[in-house]
Amino acid sequence: MEPGEPLAPGEPRPGAEASAAPRWEEAKAFYDNLAPKKKPKSPKPQNAVTIAVSSRALFRMDEEQRIYTEQGVEEYVRYQLEHENEPFSPGPAFPFVKALEAVNRRLRELYPDSEDVFDIVLVTNNHAQVGVRLINSINHYDLFIERFCMTGGNSPICYLKAYHTNLYLSADAEKVQEAINEGIAAATIFSPSRDVAVSQSQLRVAFDGDAVLFSDESERIVKAHGLDRFFEHEKAHENKPLAQGPLKGFLEALGRLQKKFYSKGLRLECPIRTYLVTARSAASSGARALKTLRSWGLETDEALFLAGAPKGPLLEKIRPHIFFDDQMFHVAGAQEMGTVAAHVPYGVAQTPRRTAPTKQTPAAQ
């Protein structure tokens, strides 16, 4: 065909066949991006690692809390309904939840049919009328939280075992204590004093040892007889495993998921990393802690023995998504360095109770 010669009816323009496919793929990709994303199917609770998170742990609700405290529940509900299309700001547990979802994406790539993933449940004593704002906030941040437990002013703790809860996080210390008393791993979560960037691709969880992973046996000896007797006791019992503490089961669940990556040759690229951060000294009392973990078939990726030194500076380097400790002194020190810290109200250190940050009367946990 000569240049400028008109096309016969129905005759394709030269090069049209070559360019049609790329244009079609480009258009398809554009419309696929506009379509709602298909979310994965929720696992059966008994097959998953279930993390129950309260609304005030996941989101910041300071203004709503003030209204509840000063004006009562009816005004609180009215305010929530009037603002239900305004998403809440992220709370202290938000980065932790995002990291759980990042791990889930990797697990589903490797094990498409497995339900051995993290399952997040929003647990709150809010009234159901507030649920729309919570749903809107979850959708706004593209979180995958399909299970809700809204108890309308009653304590939700009685439902945690039915959800097969492996860990419960709340801003309400009384509810956390209630859960601990029921034998459920739980902690009161606090916002850090300043924002510190955390990993977007690797979940990092740091644990204190005594009265968190282990029982408070050794802390009782320190409290009753002092450090010298404690060191003697640990040396004498080095090969006797400590009893388990309230969060041993959660470390066990993390280890189970880590092994799914190890079996694929991804130990060094595992998106879960765990840390033991303890005030114990390595030479005099560290061996018993490590041998206890070994006797349970567990390990942490890193073990930091601080011999009484402050934990905050080390945690600033680790940048965990969450750090668990039974003593508010260490929780406050972690907060000051920008770490999201969680208090585990267990063991002899709770009597008398450590001074905690000012606690507001909870409207919703």
Side-chain angles (χ1 to χ4, degrees), residues 287-300:
R288 191 180 186 195
L290 295 178
K291 288 183 177 182
T292 296
L293 291 175
R294 185 192 304 165
S295 74
W296 294 341
L298 299 178
E299 60 181 308
T300 57

Side-chain angles (χ1 to χ4, degrees), residues 30-160:
F30 174 78
Y31 286 109
D32 283 348
N33 286 333
L34 291 181
K37 297 293 185 295
K38 182 180 179 181
K39 291 189 175 182
K41 182 180 178 182
S42 295
K44 295 182 179 66
Q46 62 269 29
N47 296 335
V49 177
T50 301
I51 312 296
V53 183
S54 74
S55 56
R56 282 203 299 135
L58 186 59
F59 298 118
R60 291 189 183 276
M61 303 176 68
D62 298 338
E63 178 62 16
E64 292 76 11
Q65 183 75 4
R66 184 191 64 78
I67 291 171
Y68 177 85
T69 302
E70 296 178 1
Q71 302 178 43
V73 65
E74 296 302 327
E75 185 62 23
Y76 167 81
V77 171
R78 185 191 67 78
Y79 180 88
Q80 295 281 37
L81 292 175
E82 288 181 353
H83 294 79
E84 67 180 19
N85 292 319
E86 299 174 16
F88 293 110
S89 298
F94 188 91
F96 175 64
V97 168
K98 292 292 286 186
L100 298 178
E101 294 193 341
V103 174
N104 278 355
R105 285 193 291 272
R106 294 284 304 279
L107 284 169
R108 289 187 172 109
E109 289 171 1
L110 296 172
Y111 302 94
D113 300 322
S114 175
E115 292 189 328
D116 198 7
V117 295
F118 292 110
D119 187 26
I120 303 153
V121 181
L122 187 70
V123 178
T124 173
N125 61 4
N126 257 305
H127 289 265
Q129 297 96 314
V130 183
V132 173
R133 190 176 185 193
L134 290 169
I135 292 170
N136 288 343
S137 298
I138 285 168
N139 289 335
H140 173 80
Y141 295 109
D142 196 28
L143 299 175
F144 182 59
I145 301 178
E146 298 289 346
R147 302 190 204 278
F148 273 39
C149 178
M150 307 185 70
T151 61
N154 293 326
S155 173
I157 303 306
C158 62
Y159 295 105
L160 293 180

